[in-house]
Every structure is written in structure tokens, then in C-alpha cells.
Amino acid sequence: MSTEQAVLLEKRGRALWITVNRPDKRNAINQAVIDGIRQGYEQAQADPQVRVIVLTGSGDKAFCAGADLRPGEGFVFDYAKPNADYADLMRLASNSTVPSIARVNGVCMAGGMGLLCMTDMAVAVDTVRFGLPEVKVGVFPMQVLSLLQRLVPQRVLREWCFTGEPFTADEALQAGLVNHLAPAAELDAKVEWLIDRLVDKSPTAIRRGKYALRAIEAMSFDQAIAYTETQIATLALTEDAKEGLAAFNEKRAPDWPGR
């Protein structure tokens, strides 16, 4: 693949790796990056062989430092459009039924925090610096808030947003922003460990479960329990459920049909 591509897509086993490939710009977001990540998510969603998405950045300095702030690059708006492309990317990721992992290999700031938050899980290098510095340039992490507010405590979120000051990987872990930390030399091994814990499970259960998690976000308890009681009954009818129960009773590893 050409190193001039803003985003690289690569299947590694059952995982599709989406790599923002602008290391000289600290993997900053521009239109080509948004388009490339969207293409990766669409490809993963359309391919039943892909069981997990890994989103990361090139090099070892940055996962993503946010929008490219140069004139005409990432921080551009078409006020005639009701939807922003970056926001549409978040919508696409939120509605995807393929689980995703952020491999946070370096600094993660501003819009990069949005890319992190739109994944389901995250593994970060233990020296990474995170932050929402938008107030330092006169704006606010508006679109990022739509996802971030569900991940971390409100008082922590307000401090991050209002001060714009960076915070450590340990603080990110404590707040629930990431799942695991690892030394840089062990990052890929930790990501692969997490991938392995996903791909041996029922793909049907994960797809339908991820769909249900998204569906019940805005429901009351009564709505959510009514919805989920129908979903567990439907899941029991799938071929994966039948295979899983048979394998359990026969004391063998399941061979998931994915249906």
C-alpha cells in the first residue's frame, strides 16, 4: 500500500486494521482521514469474515492529535449541510455491529478523542497523553461530547473540557476512558490478546448484542427490559445459539456458523 494514503486498511486474520497514516502531521484529521475511516467501517460491516475492527495511528508519536487546523484542511465546515462528515462518521461507528478496539499508540487529543470514544474498547500505551484542548483555540469539543459523556463521570468530563489541560494514561484508565494500559513494547501483544478474546465467541451473539446495546441507550428501564426479553428469545433461535448449547453439553469447542 502507498504510504501517501491518508488511511491504510489491512485484514489481519479476523481483524480489519484501520490506520490513520499521517505521522508527519501527528495523524491529524482531514477529509481524507474521515473518508478512509468510513471506508474501513463500511468494509468491515459488509464482510462476515471480519470479527473486529482495530483503529490506530501510524508511528509511535500519535494516535490522533485532532483536526488538522491548517487553512482548508480538517477544521472546515459547509454551513449548507445539516450534517458534518466527522459527526456522520461517529454515527456510522455507533451503528456498526462489528466490535472495535482503539489501539492508542501515542498522543490522543481533541478530535482524536472522538475517534477513541467511537470504538467499543481501548488499549493504550501507558505513557500516552490525552486531552480536550479546544478551549485554548476558542472552540469546544462539541461532537466529542455526544460519546464522551456516556463514558466518564460528569465532573471529570467538565474538568477536561473547561480547563483544556492534558491528562495521563493512568487518569484515563481510572475514569473509564480506556480498558487497558501497556508499555509501548507490549502494546500489540495486549491488542492481540483482546482480539483473541473476541474472535472465539459467537459472531451472531456479538452482532445482535452490540445492536441491542445501541438500541436501549435512550430507553427507560421498562422499555429496555421489554425490548431485551424479545431479543434473548430471538437469539435462542439462531444457529450460533444451537451450536453453543450443543458444544457446551458435548464438552467441546463450538464451531460457530455465524448465523
Side-chain angles (χ1 to χ4, degrees):
M1 295 182 181
S2 170
T3 57
E4 296 178 357
Q5 289 179 268
V7 174
L8 305 178
L9 305 179
E10 180 187 4
K11 282 183 71 173
R12 303 184 191 177
R14 308 304 293 274
L16 179 70
W17 284 60
I18 303 174
T19 304
V20 182
N21 189 42
R22 305 184 73 210
D24 57 324
K25 299 294 187 295
R26 299 206 305 168
N27 296 320
I29 300 168
N30 62 8
Q31 188 63 47
V33 168
I34 293 173
D35 292 343
I37 296 174
R38 182 180 66 242
Q39 180 185 348
Y41 266 82
E42 290 172 345
Q43 180 177 321
Q45 188 69 27
D47 186 350
Q49 297 303 311
V50 172
R51 299 287 308 282
V52 60
I53 294 167
V54 178
L55 178 61
T56 191
S58 289
D60 58 5
K61 302 298 184 184
F63 171 73
C64 176
D68 193 328
L69 299 181
R70 295 176 301 161
E73 289 293 333
F75 202 65
V76 179
F77 300 93
D78 180 352
Y79 296 104
K81 293 175 59 177
N83 295 352
D85 290 337
Y86 178 74
D88 280 343
L89 177 61
M90 289 184 169
R91 293 182 179 99
L92 177 67
S94 293
N95 288 318
S96 172
T97 56
V98 180
S100 53
I101 300 169
R103 173 188 175 272
V104 187
N105 53 305
V107 65
C108 180
M109 298 282 173
M113 290 276 284
L115 299 185
L116 165 62
C117 292
M118 76 184 197
T119 60
D120 297 302
M121 294 156 281
V123 181
V125 173
D126 56 11
T127 56
V128 167
R129 301 287 280 179
F130 298 83
L132 296 165
E134 284 87 343
V135 291
K136 297 182 179 181
V137 294
V139 290
F140 204 76
M142 295 294 187
Q143 296 167 103
V144 178
L145 284 177
S146 61
L147 297 174
L148 190 54
Q149 67 172 344
R150 296 189 175 96
L151 295 178
V152 303
Q154 283 292 316
R155 288 191 181 275
V156 173
L157 177 61
R158 283 168 168 75
E159 180 178 345
W160 290 353
C161 291
F162 296 160
T163 69
E165 296 300 328
F167 54 94
T168 67
D170 285 333
E171 290 172 297
L173 180 66
Q174 183 177 2
L177 184 62
V178 299
N179 297 79
H180 305 283
L181 301 179
E186 300 172 17
L187 177 63
D188 284 340
K190 193 66 177 179
V191 171
E192 290 296 337
W193 168 84
L194 189 52
I195 291 171
D196 288 343
R197 301 188 86 188
L198 295 170
V199 299
D200 66 341
K201 308 306 189 303
S202 163
T204 301
I206 291 175
R207 282 196 301 266
R208 292 192 63 93
K210 192 170 185 307
Y211 183 91
L213 283 167
R214 176 79 171 90
I216 67 174
E217 280 182 353
M219 293 182 186
S220 68
F221 168 77
D222 286 334
Q223 292 168 328
I225 198 67
Y227 173 78
T228 53
E229 68 184 342
T230 65
Q231 292 303 298
I232 190 62
T234 302
L235 261 177
L237 299 174
T238 66
E239 292 183 33
D240 271 17
K242 294 173 183 176
E243 166 62 11
L245 291 170
F248 176 81
N249 286 298
E250 295 165 14
K251 296 180 172 54
R252 60 173 174 81
D255 182 14
W256 303 115
R259 293 185 297 274

